[in-house]
Amino acid sequence: MQHIIDRFISYITVDTQSDPNSNTTPSTEKQWTLAHKLVSELKQIGMQDVVIDDKAYIMATLPSNLEKEVPTIGFISHFDTSPDFTATEVKPQIIKNYDGGDIVLNKAENIVLSPSYFEDLLQYKGNT
């Protein structure tokens, strides 16, 4: 579990804020940081034919583990970014054994994630 948490945190701390006024894809140079990180990780986990194009579209193949010929399966994903928020100075919190109460995100600005507003939070009570 810790490996997954560490990987997730490594992604969310990359500032990929987009620029709605840009005429390029991706819309900012900093979005390339995440794209190159993903390319590196794909290679590390054994993906093959890993390529990235001039618009940060990443493609790779997963070698078959079967002896016989099987159809190729494609998994396609993209990484969305938003112009609304930056990841600069993001400080993720890990809430272990969530108790179902409020989660203070920023005490100074009184930013709280509360199940009184986000009822779905209660589904995660007891979880990390």
Side-chain angles (χ1 to χ4, degrees), residues 13-49:
T13 55
V14 175
D15 184 4
T16 58
Q17 185 177 26
S18 62
D19 177 0
N21 299 313
S22 173
N23 293 324
T24 64
T25 303
S27 66
T28 61
E29 281 297 315
K30 56 190 176 179
Q31 291 170 321
W32 282 100
T33 302
L34 180 58
H36 289 299
K37 177 179 183 51
L38 294 173
V39 165
S40 175
E41 287 189 5
L42 287 170
K43 290 177 180 178
Q44 287 173 6
I45 65 171
M47 299 295 276
Q48 295 181 349
D49 308 314

Side-chain angles (χ1 to χ4, degrees), residues 1 5 93-101 103 119-128:
M1 177 74 159
I5 291 170
Q93 297 180 47
I94 306 298
I95 310 298
K96 295 186 179 193
N97 194 24
Y98 173 57
D99 65 5
I103 300 171
E119 294 175 11
D120 288 352
L121 277 175
L122 294 176
Q123 296 176 39
Y124 304 101
K125 190 172 180 178
N127 294 319
T128 296

Side-chain angles (χ1 to χ4, degrees), residues 71-92:
T72 301
I73 299 173
F75 297 96
I76 302 168
S77 182
H78 61 93
F79 53 96
D80 275 333
T81 62
S82 170
D84 298 329
F85 299 98
T86 178
T88 301
E89 301 298 322
V90 165
K91 294 176 179 63

